[in-house]
Amino acid sequence: MGIIRTLPPDLVNQIAAGEVIESSHSILKELLENSVDAGSTKIEILTENAGLSRILVSDNGHGMAEEDLPLAIQRYATSKIQKFQDLEHLFTFGFRGEALASIASVSHLTIDSGMEGERTAHRIEVEDGKVKEKHTIPHFQGTKIEIKDLFYNTPVRRKFLKTEIGEEKKNRTRVQVTALAEPNISFRYVQNGKEVLNVSPESPLERVLSIYGENLRDHLLPVSIERNGIKLEGWISHPDFYKSSRTGQFFFVNKRSVELKFSSQILKKCYGELLPSGAHPYAFLFFTLPSEHVDVNVHPQKKEVRFLSEETITGLLFQGIQNVLRSSTPVEFLEMRRRLSMPIPYERGDDAAVGHEQSLNLESTLPLRPFFSLEGVGPGIQLEKLGDSPRKHHSFVPKKHYGIIFETFILAEAEDGLYIIDQHTAHERIRYEEVLRDLKQKAYRSQPLLTPIRIEMTKEEAEETLKAEEDWSRLGISIEPFSGGTILVREVPSYLDPGKEQETILDFLERRKTKDLEDKEMFDEMAKCVACRSAVKKGDLISDQIIAELLQRLSFCENPSLCPHGRPTLIKLSRFDLEKMFHRI
């Protein structure tokens, strides 16, 4: 007797569900796209317990006729295509019922739908992929789809889901991304009884700001480029505004959210050293191209697409971003960096001679002393004014420097060889240790702001932030609720750079999202945030005297050889290495 059998339809649907339905956020994606395809101008979403207990999506779209409802839950039933060639000219995300057969096989499903001009609407109730009940209901235009008890008959699938909090975050992201792609549609999302999103029709830029916060308004650079019938539009963030993860990067093809190959690498290459290590810019980028140039059917969940010419797409992305970054001011000078770029008013010695020497002798202008403390060190402060007992921590003691090459690297001579120092990572290490020490010793003061800083976020993020009010207080930052997803910062500590408080706080908020921080870790992350944003960058012009101070301060760091993120601050060529290279030994 043979062992090969034809699988029953219900099992086929459950297997298919494994391809399309990862969890509730996959269902939301399918249902939201169906609502958009139906010409909806208003979409409301409700989920309970991460969607495992209940998902409800309502729209005011075209709706479906009574005879179409049972067909909608059958596989391969559609109104959008009739022949194979139609697949090459799809202008929609999908069609009513594309995923409903799979969803119906792993949940209890109810569909209500009504059409314009009809006297009544209609409802079907589905169990195990089969219609169990049909009803006539009062008329309304649009469709409501309710899903209960997701994966009730496939408990193994439930086991492999992430935590409920993680699934709810995915659901929010899915709704936000759809709303981002469709600024002409109203979206309202209620999660576990709380409204987490409510946006009305608005311009694309205002939609970005409505979802991801007013904090972005002054930090977005417009991108617009067109070539060979392919258009790229959207926004990227200024190099001074970034995240510690790629979660602020969104790419769309014909309004479809996709995972674009090499997009993050291209962004990183375009920004280059305008961004510090571990920083990721925001990107809201929309491609528009003829439907025959893109295949949207290469992935079961439509996460990826295939282009007729991928080189054209990546080339357009690269050129569009490069054009914007070249035409904009790449880096704004922070208050500290303005002070660092000014000569130090030395009180003794021949000032004019010191200022014009190509090679500055550090020992004559900044003499070393037997003891040195970083207490009180700040940009533009003369070392000889810091006290009578400096203490040197490390053997890296530069005698002379010879200026900067490639707008980045300081050449310096010490007793044991030649050093090449990265001005950014070196200053980052200095600022990191200063701020970390201030935090641990509470050697800072908090200062009230004349005008409070507004931080925009989602309502849920605002609630989580306010719960950690004591943690913020330990950092010297005073926060209070304002309205909705807005919080106010009333006081900030002296270690934050003037004018950059908001960006540093947002950066720290992003880092807090990934993990719960103990005091020690919290201080460390804040010190890294401040160091990243206050350190001099590649291309910043600094005077000989400031170079001298920077090298001197670096030599008193606890760990002068690495920046807070583990990148090297300096490379050493010993006297022995040099003599060997020139065959002197």
Side-chain angles (χ1 to χ4, degrees):
M1 182 177 176
I3 60 172
I4 297 177
R5 300 179 184 85
T6 302
L7 296 176
D10 56 345
L11 181 55
V12 170
N13 283 338
Q14 288 184 2
I15 293 171
E19 296 177 352
V20 179
I21 309 303
E22 283 182 346
S23 64
S24 54
H25 76 275
S26 303
I27 292 176
L28 281 177
K29 178 180 186 295
E30 297 292 341
L31 299 186
L32 290 172
E33 289 178 353
N34 286 343
S35 292
V36 172
D37 283 344
S40 308
T41 59
K42 183 178 181 181
I43 302 174
E44 296 192 357
I45 308 101
L46 179 150
T47 60
E48 295 176 4
N49 299 325
L52 298 176
S53 296
R54 186 180 182 216
I55 299 172
L56 176 64
V57 176
S58 308
D59 65 52
N60 64 348
H62 304 317
M64 291 183 283
E66 179 181 8
E67 59 268 26
D68 287 335
L69 288 176
L71 293 173
I73 63 166
Q74 293 184 18
R75 298 189 75 201
Y76 312 126
T78 175
S79 62
K80 301 295 175 66
I81 60 174
Q82 296 180 7
K83 56 186 183 297
F84 182 79
Q85 287 75 13
D86 292 341
L87 290 172
E88 298 177 1
H89 301 280
L90 278 176
F91 295 95
T92 60
F93 293 109
F95 40 82
R96 289 288 186 197
E98 181 180 26
L100 287 180
S102 298
I103 296 170
S105 70
V106 292
S107 67
H108 296 116
L109 174 68
T110 302
I111 305 177
D112 296 351
S113 196
M115 300 180 70
E116 185 180 8
E118 298 289 332
R119 291 186 175 183
T120 58
H122 304 278
R123 169 182 296 166
I124 60 170
E125 297 177 13
V126 185
E127 252 181 59
D128 295 325
K130 299 178 181 65
V131 177
K132 297 295 183 182
E133 299 282 345
K134 293 183 182 180
H135 305 279
T136 298
I137 59 176
H139 178 261
F140 73 97
Q141 182 178 335
T143 300
K144 297 178 184 176
I145 298 181
E146 185 176 40
I147 296 158
K148 291 185 176 180
D149 305 321
L150 183 60
F151 301 133
Y152 77 97
N153 55 353
T154 53
V156 175
R157 295 285 303 282
R158 290 183 75 115
K159 263 199 240 179
F160 282 91
L161 296 177
K162 291 188 176 181
T163 62
E164 194 169 297
I165 293 175
E167 294 299 324
E168 287 177 344
K169 184 177 180 181
K170 286 183 179 180
N171 291 343
R172 285 196 305 275
T173 300
R174 174 49 53 197
V175 176
Q176 289 169 345
V177 168
T178 306
L180 187 62
E182 300 290 345
N184 294 321
I185 299 177
S186 296
F187 288 86
R188 180 172 180 263
Y189 181 26
V190 176
Q191 194 174 62
N192 296 326
K194 289 184 179 179
E195 185 181 83
V196 294
L197 180 69
N198 193 345
V199 290
S200 301
E202 53 198 338
S203 71
L205 176 58
E206 292 303 319
R207 177 57 59 88
V208 169
L209 299 175
S210 293
I211 297 174
Y212 298 102
E214 279 288 330
N215 311 304
L216 278 169
R217 185 179 291 278
D218 297 328
H219 302 282
L220 291 179
L221 304 172
V223 176
S224 182
I225 186 171
E226 186 172 0
R227 185 196 301 160
N228 300 330
I230 301 174
K231 183 184 290 187
L232 171 63
E233 294 182 301
W235 298 269
I236 58 173
S237 61
H238 197 279
D240 68 353
F241 202 81
Y242 48 80
K243 298 188 76 172
S244 58
S245 68
R246 296 188 181 91
T247 55
Q249 297 176 4
F250 303 92
F251 300 90
F252 300 84
V253 174
N254 293 347
K255 293 191 174 183
R256 184 190 302 273
S257 173
V258 297
E259 295 175 3
L260 202 59
K261 283 184 181 178
F262 311 120
S263 55
S264 293
Q265 294 93 317
I266 290 172
L267 280 170
K268 188 174 181 180
K269 185 173 182 182
C270 289
Y271 278 83
E273 294 203 20
L274 292 175
L275 290 175
S277 175
H280 302 277
Y282 286 84
F284 306 91
L285 297 171
F286 302 79
F287 287 92
T288 305
L289 62 160
S291 60
E292 60 268 22
H293 286 204
V294 57
D295 183 356
V296 300
N297 295 301
V298 296
H299 193 282
Q301 298 164 25
K302 309 188 197 87
K303 288 182 179 178
E304 298 176 4
V305 296
R306 182 182 294 142
F307 299 102
L308 190 64
S309 173
E310 189 141 346
E311 294 78 12
T312 302
I313 297 297
T314 54
L316 198 68
L317 178 62
F318 187 85
Q319 185 181 340
I321 296 171
Q322 281 280 63
N323 290 347
V324 172
L325 293 177
R326 285 173 182 166
S327 62
S328 66
T329 303
V331 180
E332 291 181 4
F333 274 85
L334 304 175
E335 176 64 23
M336 168 189 280
R337 287 161 54 201
R338 282 196 294 270
R339 287 155 62 187
L340 275 175
S341 66
M342 299 294 291
I344 299 176
Y346 285 98
E347 293 181 357
R348 58 186 181 79
D350 186 351
D351 296 349
V354 168
H356 290 88
E357 280 183 4
Q358 297 262 333
S359 171
L360 182 65
N361 189 319
L362 304 188
E363 291 180 324
S364 63
T365 58
L366 299 171
L368 294 177
R369 300 177 187 177
F371 175 79
F372 183 87
S373 169
L374 280 174
E375 194 68 41
V377 174
I381 301 296
Q382 297 179 52
L383 295 185
E384 59 263 35
K385 293 183 177 180
L386 298 179
D388 294 327
S389 11
R391 174 170 57 85
K392 175 174 66 69
H393 292 294
H394 287 277
S395 59
F396 166 62
V397 184
K399 296 170 58 179
K400 300 177 182 178
H401 79 76
Y402 301 94
I404 296 173
I405 61 172
F406 306 126
E407 301 181 320
T408 305
F409 304 107
I410 302 168
L411 297 182
E413 175 188 342
E415 289 288 351
D416 56 347
L418 175 69
Y419 284 83
I420 304 172
I421 299 103
D422 183 319
Q423 66 181 35
H424 170 67
T425 56
H427 192 204
E428 208 174 15
R429 164 53 61 176
I430 293 165
R431 287 294 289 132
Y432 168 75
E433 291 198 8
E434 289 174 351
V435 175
L436 188 59
R437 183 204 63 245
D438 284 352
L439 282 166
K440 287 179 177 178
Q441 299 178 2
K442 294 188 177 179
Y444 61 85
R445 67 183 188 281
S446 290
Q447 43 207 20
L449 296 168
L450 290 176
T451 304
I453 297 170
R454 291 166 59 106
I455 304 289
E456 305 282 349
M457 55 185 74
T458 66
K459 290 180 181 179
E460 186 176 64
E461 287 171 340
E463 288 175 5
E464 290 299 318
T465 300
L466 290 167
K467 283 180 186 176
E469 188 175 354
E470 289 185 11
D471 290 345
W472 289 98
S473 179
R474 283 196 287 273
L475 294 169
I477 299 171
S478 172
I479 61 173
E480 64 181 46
F482 183 62
S483 66
T486 304
I487 63 171
L488 296 182
V489 178
R490 291 286 185 185
E491 292 185 2
V492 294
S494 53
Y495 61 76
L496 290 184
D497 296 292
K500 293 295 177 180
E501 299 93 342
Q502 184 185 66
E503 293 171 17
T504 307
I505 291 170
L506 286 170
D507 190 4
F508 181 73
L509 270 169
E510 183 63 28
R511 293 170 190 250
R512 275 186 64 92
K513 286 181 185 178
T514 58
K515 55 184 177 180
D516 294 325
L517 302 175
E518 300 293 335
D519 273 3
K520 184 178 178 182
E521 295 173 311
M522 187 167 65
F523 293 162
D524 184 72
E525 289 296 336
M526 177 55 83
K528 287 177 181 175
C529 290
V530 177
C532 280
R533 296 188 177 273
S534 63
V536 294
K537 302 292 192 297
K538 174 182 178 180
D540 290 354
L541 300 178
I542 53 179
S543 67
D544 281 347
Q545 292 93 336
I546 300 299
I547 295 172
E549 181 185 349
L550 189 148
L551 294 178
Q552 193 76 326
R553 288 163 67 187
L554 181 65
S555 70
F556 296 113
C557 284
E558 296 291 341
N559 185 0
S561 60
L562 294 174
C563 84
H565 308 290
R567 292 168 63 192
T569 61
L570 50 85
I571 294 174
K572 171 186 171 185
L573 282 172
S574 69
R575 185 188 296 267
F576 176 82
D577 292 331
L578 289 170
E579 289 179 343
K580 189 174 180 180
M581 279 191 276
F582 287 97
H583 303 289
R584 288 184 171 271
I585 56 174

